[in-house]
């Protein structure tokens, strides 16, 4: 079939692909025009040339994803087209796709908009010049599932959002031009040619010939964010909103604080967040601000006009998605503070004298536990906590074994709590939260690792398995075990974990001078579905533990793998070496081969002593009581 016929029949589909696959730019008029221009330039020069629709799609994908140094002007003097407005789902998709690599974005569009099979998508990506098509399709599939799990947008809804009017570049709304463009048109119309030429040179050089790479790749300016800063409506939540939901979350927090109606403070906070993507990143660490919501280390994006902008915990430095929610605005110890939230981040804006600061951090994941408390850092040695309205009581203690004490809460803000700034082992604090109105009345424990969102801390006793529900409120004995894990937990501070579960895999006496010991599997769930697992050896009755084995992005010590063997080398005080392997409940046999010699045991095995650590291969195998293989961490 002639390419011109395919071009005419499928023009709308081709332009939509170019619009979604192409990189984001600040000027939405340019983005609309570029999508049409891209498709038109994919048409062969020869009028009788033949192209199938898949071949034309491959051409469009290849040209749309190509980086451009300059974005050519879209000359529309009397009006300027902009995309039709979308809702929250459209904005989330726009921002997520904007931060996705071009080949993965292309694969996502082909799978969901074009409804191509995985095989055809891989072939199209190959034709477009990307040879790792299988990997790109897998990443696009993972992205689709991430949108389901993190934002509640199911696959059918994603497909619908991508085919609705706000994502159709053939539909646009005509708006008044920018004042400079309108002035240029008027001058030209009345015959002032010299002035018009001068204005044209200025306008074309500055706003229209925008370098395509001038915007950071991670900046998510989507089709539903207008190119000029526009007033953003701040969402305020009523005091009783959380009582009408089945499971209260951050979205149902009421707006609180003595300055909640201070429009000047709120406008400053929103403006600072809106402009954050325009700040030029610098690698220097931020100086501790007087009041920040942040993790142990902050990264300064920019400092100007008295405003220091920082991000923490891997948060993205982008404007708010949709209308930001106002959680709190008040005066704390003479410092004005406004806490805003969008679906994935918390932004804290503070004013202390002539110093202003904005800190952006990840928001807690869904669930009553983690959505019950947010941290506010007063000074390097103190913190306060902003608590949800359904919290009845807050207790606090350090992580080194001291007893619980009640923490006063007034207006949703706790009394100050001392925190340690030591780079050594983590010392807490731990918070015990009671929320009987939305829960079964049993408390749960959150660990403060320095981030805005606290960490859900749970414990699994040795009599159970990793598949068993963990204890939400560890007792005194469990807290004693957690105290010995302080150093291992402290190593997780920079990774911004969402939850940490301590599973006591094995306990008993080790005949190598260690005495009564415990082996605990510490599993941390990290953002974006990642994980970290560490096996920690502790001595009952003394000291902090030491990590003997670790793994990243592993299913070990979780519901998927309820049985595990921990194996490691140990050097005794007499300089003899031992290979130790201990199994969890359900492990029947353990077999270790060292330099061709096999050692066997029943759930627990010590091989050695060896005068020096063997340099040959070491193989550890284990089975459960049914003869099935058990994974080994070591």
């Amino acid at each position: 079939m002639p390419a011109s016929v395919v071009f005419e029949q499928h023009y709308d589909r081709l332009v939509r692909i170019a619009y979604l696959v192409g990189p984001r730019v600040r000027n939405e008029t340019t983005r609309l025009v570029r999508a049409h221009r891209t498709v038109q330039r994919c048409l062969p020069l020869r009028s009788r040339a033949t192209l199938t629709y898949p071949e034309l799609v491959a051409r469009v994908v290849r040209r749309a994803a190509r980086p451009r140094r300059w974005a050519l002007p879209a000359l529309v003097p009397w009006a300027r087209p902009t995309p039709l407005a979308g809702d929250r789902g459209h904005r989330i998709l726009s921002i997520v796709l904007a931060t996705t690599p071009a080949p993965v974005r292309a694969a996502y569009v082909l799978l969901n908009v074009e409804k191509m099979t995985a095989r055809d998508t891989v072939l199209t990506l190959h034709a477009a010049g990307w040879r790792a098509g299988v990997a790109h399709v897998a990443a696009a599939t993972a992205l689709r599932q991430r949108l389901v799990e993190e934002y509640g947008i199911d696959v059918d809804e994603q497909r619908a959002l991508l085919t609705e009017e706000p994502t159709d570049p053939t539909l646009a709304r005509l708006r008044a031009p920018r004042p400079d463009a309108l002035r240029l048109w008027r001058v030209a119309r009345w015959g002032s040619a010299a002035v018009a030429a001068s204005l044209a040179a200025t306008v074309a050089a500055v706003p229209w010939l925008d370098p395509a790479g001038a915007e950071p790749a991670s900046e998510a300016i989507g089709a539903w964010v207008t190119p000029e800063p526009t007033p953003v409506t701040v969402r305020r939540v009523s005091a009783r909103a959380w009582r009408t939901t089945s499971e209260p979350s951050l979205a149902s927090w009421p707006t609180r604080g003595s300055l909640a109606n201070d429009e000047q403070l709120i406008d400053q906070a929103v403006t600072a967040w809106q402009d954050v993507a325009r700040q030029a990143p610098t690698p220097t660490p931020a100086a501790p601000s007087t009041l920040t919501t942040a993790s142990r280390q902050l990264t300064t994006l920019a400092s100007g006009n008295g405003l220091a902008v920082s991000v923490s915990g891997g948060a993205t430095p982008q404007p708010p998605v949709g209308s930001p929610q106002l959680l709190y605005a008040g005066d704390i110890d003479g410092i004005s503070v406004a806490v805003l939230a969008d679906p994935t981040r918390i932004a804290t804006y503070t004013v202390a004298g002539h110093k202003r600061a904005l800190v952006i951090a990840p928001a807690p994941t869904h669930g009553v536990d983690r959505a019950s408390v947010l941290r506010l850092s007063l000074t390097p040695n103190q913190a306060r906590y902003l608590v949800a309205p359904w919290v009845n009581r807050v207790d606090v203690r350090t992580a080194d074994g001291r007893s619980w004490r009640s923490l006063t809460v007034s207006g949703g803000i706790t009394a100050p709590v001392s925190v340690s700034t030591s780079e050594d082992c983590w010392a807490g604090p731990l918070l015990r939260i009671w929320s009987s109105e939305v829960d079964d009345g049993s408390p749960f424990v959150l660990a403060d690792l320095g981030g805005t969102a606290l960490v859900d801390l749970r414990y699994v006793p040795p009599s159970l398995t990793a598949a068993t529900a963990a204890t939400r409120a560890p007792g005194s004995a469990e807290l004693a075990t957690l105290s010995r894990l302080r150093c291992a937990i402290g190593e997780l501070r920079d990774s911004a974990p969402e939850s940490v579960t301590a599973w006591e895999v094995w306990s008993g006496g080790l005949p190598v001078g260690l005495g009564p010991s415990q082996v605990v599997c510490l599993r941390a769930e990290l953002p974006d579905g990642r994980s970290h697992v560490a096996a920690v050896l502790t001595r009952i009755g003394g000291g902090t533990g030491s990590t003997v084995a670790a793994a990243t992005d592993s299913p070990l010590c979780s519901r998927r793998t309820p049985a595990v063997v921990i194996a490691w080398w140990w050097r005794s005080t007499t300089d003899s070496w031992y290979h130790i392997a201990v199994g969890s409940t359900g492990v029947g046999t353990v077999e270790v081969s060292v330099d061709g010699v096999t050692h066997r045991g029943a759930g627990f095995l010590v091989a050695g002593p060896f005068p020096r650590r063997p340099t040959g291969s070491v193989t550890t195998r284990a089975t459960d009581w049914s003869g099935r293989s058990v994974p080994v961490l070591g």
Side-chain angles (χ1 to χ4, degrees):
M1 184 179 295
S4 59
V5 176
V6 177
F7 175 84
E8 293 177 1
Q9 288 180 347
H10 301 288
Y11 182 77
D12 290 3
R13 295 170 65 185
L14 293 169
V15 173
R16 188 189 296 268
I17 292 172
Y19 183 79
L20 294 173
V21 172
R24 268 50 176 174
V25 293
R26 289 192 182 94
N27 191 321
E28 283 301 310
T29 298
T30 298
R31 186 182 174 202
L32 281 171
V33 174
R34 177 183 292 177
H36 290 267
R37 184 181 294 151
T38 295
V39 174
Q40 292 164 10
R41 289 183 174 178
C42 289
L43 196 63
L45 296 177
R46 293 183 296 109
S47 59
R48 296 184 180 182
T50 59
L51 276 179
T52 64
Y53 177 70
E55 290 172 337
L56 195 52
V57 168
R59 283 192 173 205
V60 170
V61 168
R62 179 171 60 247
R63 181 177 285 274
R66 182 185 304 166
R68 294 172 175 82
R69 180 166 181 80
W70 299 104
L72 294 177
L75 298 175
V76 185
W78 52 271
R80 131 178 104 82
T82 61
L84 300 181
D87 58 17
R88 170 183 175 274
H90 296 105
R91 291 191 294 270
I92 289 177
L93 280 178
S94 177
I95 287 179
V96 171
L97 289 177
T99 57
T100 302
V104 179
R105 186 166 63 241
Y108 179 87
V109 171
L110 295 177
L111 289 170
N112 292 278
V113 178
E114 288 297 297
K115 299 181 182 180
M116 286 188 179
T117 64
R119 180 179 180 276
D120 290 341
T121 301
V122 170
L123 294 176
T124 302
L125 293 177
H126 284 181
W130 290 304
R131 296 304 174 191
V134 175
H136 299 323
V137 168
T141 304
L143 174 64
R144 182 168 57 190
Q145 186 60 28
R146 174 189 162 201
L147 288 166
V148 174
E149 296 174 353
E150 294 188 10
Y151 301 100
I153 306 176
D154 61 36
V155 176
D156 292 338
E157 186 180 359
Q158 292 176 43
R159 182 172 289 116
L161 290 171
L162 292 171
T163 55
E164 289 176 351
E165 292 182 352
T167 56
D168 187 348
T170 65
L171 300 176
R173 181 176 57 176
L174 294 180
R175 298 172 62 95
R178 294 183 178 83
D180 288 342
L182 185 59
R183 192 178 300 113
L184 170 63
W185 176 76
R186 287 172 177 168
V187 170
R189 184 173 184 270
W190 291 104
S192 302
V195 177
S198 175
L199 283 174
T202 302
V203 174
V206 180
W208 287 343
L209 287 181
D210 239 358
E215 185 173 29
S218 63
E219 181 176 345
I221 303 297
W224 307 276
V225 181
T226 56
E228 301 87 4
T230 57
V232 172
T233 302
V234 176
R235 188 167 67 91
R236 289 175 168 85
V237 179
S238 66
R240 297 184 58 83
W242 64 272
R243 296 183 180 275
T244 63
T245 61
S246 59
E247 184 177 5
S249 64
L250 198 68
S252 57
W253 274 43
T255 300
R256 290 174 291 176
S258 59
L259 301 179
N261 295 320
D262 188 332
E263 296 301 333
Q264 181 178 0
L265 174 64
I266 307 308
D267 288 346
Q268 289 177 0
V270 173
T271 301
W273 196 1
Q274 279 188 292
D275 292 342
V276 67
R278 298 186 178 94
Q279 311 293 342
T282 59
T284 57
S289 64
T290 310
L291 175 64
T292 57
T293 306
S295 66
R296 185 163 155 250
Q297 291 185 351
L298 301 180
T299 301
T300 297
L301 291 184
S303 181
N305 299 323
L307 176 66
V309 181
S310 305
V311 295
S312 72
T316 54
Q318 299 166 359
V321 178
S323 299
Q325 177 185 349
L326 179 62
L327 301 179
Y328 178 86
D331 188 285
I332 303 178
D333 299 333
I335 303 168
S336 299
V337 54
V339 182
L340 302 167
D342 74 358
T344 62
R345 291 161 300 158
I346 304 291
T348 302
Y349 175 79
T350 62
V351 180
H354 298 291
K355 295 182 179 180
R356 299 184 300 135
L358 177 73
V359 178
I360 302 174
T365 52
H366 294 293
V368 174
D369 290 8
R370 295 195 72 227
S372 293
V373 180
L374 297 177
R375 173 181 174 170
L376 298 175
S377 299
L378 292 176
T379 68
N381 298 313
Q382 279 190 333
R384 288 183 188 257
Y385 301 94
L386 180 62
V387 300
W390 55 81
V391 172
N392 307 116
R393 173 181 163 188
V394 180
D395 297 333
V396 65
R397 59 165 282 167
T398 60
D400 57 5
R402 300 177 186 176
S403 59
W404 293 103
R405 65 178 178 87
S406 180
L407 190 59
T408 303
V409 180
S410 176
I413 300 291
T414 69
V417 176
S418 296
V419 295
S420 173
T421 58
S422 172
E423 296 293 327
D424 297 330
C425 293
W426 170 70
L430 294 174
L431 270 65
R432 185 168 60 183
I433 310 299
W434 306 74
S435 55
S436 57
E437 293 194 57
V438 297
D439 215 335
D440 59 4
S442 62
F444 54 91
V445 172
L446 299 176
D448 182 351
L449 295 186
T452 298
L454 274 63
V455 179
D456 191 2
L457 185 62
R458 303 202 175 198
Y459 176 84
V460 180
S463 58
L464 303 177
T465 69
T468 306
T471 304
R472 300 172 72 204
S476 57
E478 291 85 353
L479 287 171
T481 298
L482 291 173
S483 176
R484 294 192 289 272
L485 300 174
R486 292 188 296 115
C487 293
I489 295 176
E491 293 175 357
L492 300 169
R493 281 180 284 194
D494 290 336
S495 58
E498 297 174 353
S499 67
V500 175
T501 301
W503 173 33
E504 191 174 333
V505 175
W506 179 91
S507 62
L510 291 176
V512 290
L514 291 173
S517 303
Q518 293 174 324
V519 177
V520 179
C521 197
L522 203 64
R523 181 175 181 85
E525 301 297 342
L526 308 178
D528 299 326
R530 306 196 66 190
S531 64
H532 178 75
V533 179
V536 184
L537 172 66
T538 69
R539 301 184 187 185
I540 298 176
T544 57
S546 58
T547 301
V548 295
T552 302
D553 298 335
S554 168
L556 296 179
C557 304
S558 70
R559 292 179 181 272
R560 289 181 55 190
T561 55
V564 68
V565 169
I566 311 296
W568 73 96
W569 282 100
W570 182 262
R571 187 177 185 179
S572 70
T573 55
T574 60
D575 289 337
S576 296
W577 286 90
Y578 297 83
H579 187 274
I580 305 174
V582 298
S584 63
T585 302
V587 174
T589 62
V590 179
E591 181 179 289
V592 177
S593 297
V594 181
D595 287 343
V597 179
T598 301
H599 307 263
R600 293 181 177 87
F604 163 67
L605 178 63
V606 176
F610 301 93
R612 61 184 60 87
R613 179 170 176 172
T615 57
S617 61
V618 177
T619 304
T620 304
R621 301 183 182 88
T623 59
D624 61 17
W625 296 109
S626 301
R628 291 174 297 188
S629 178
V630 172
V632 178
L633 176 61

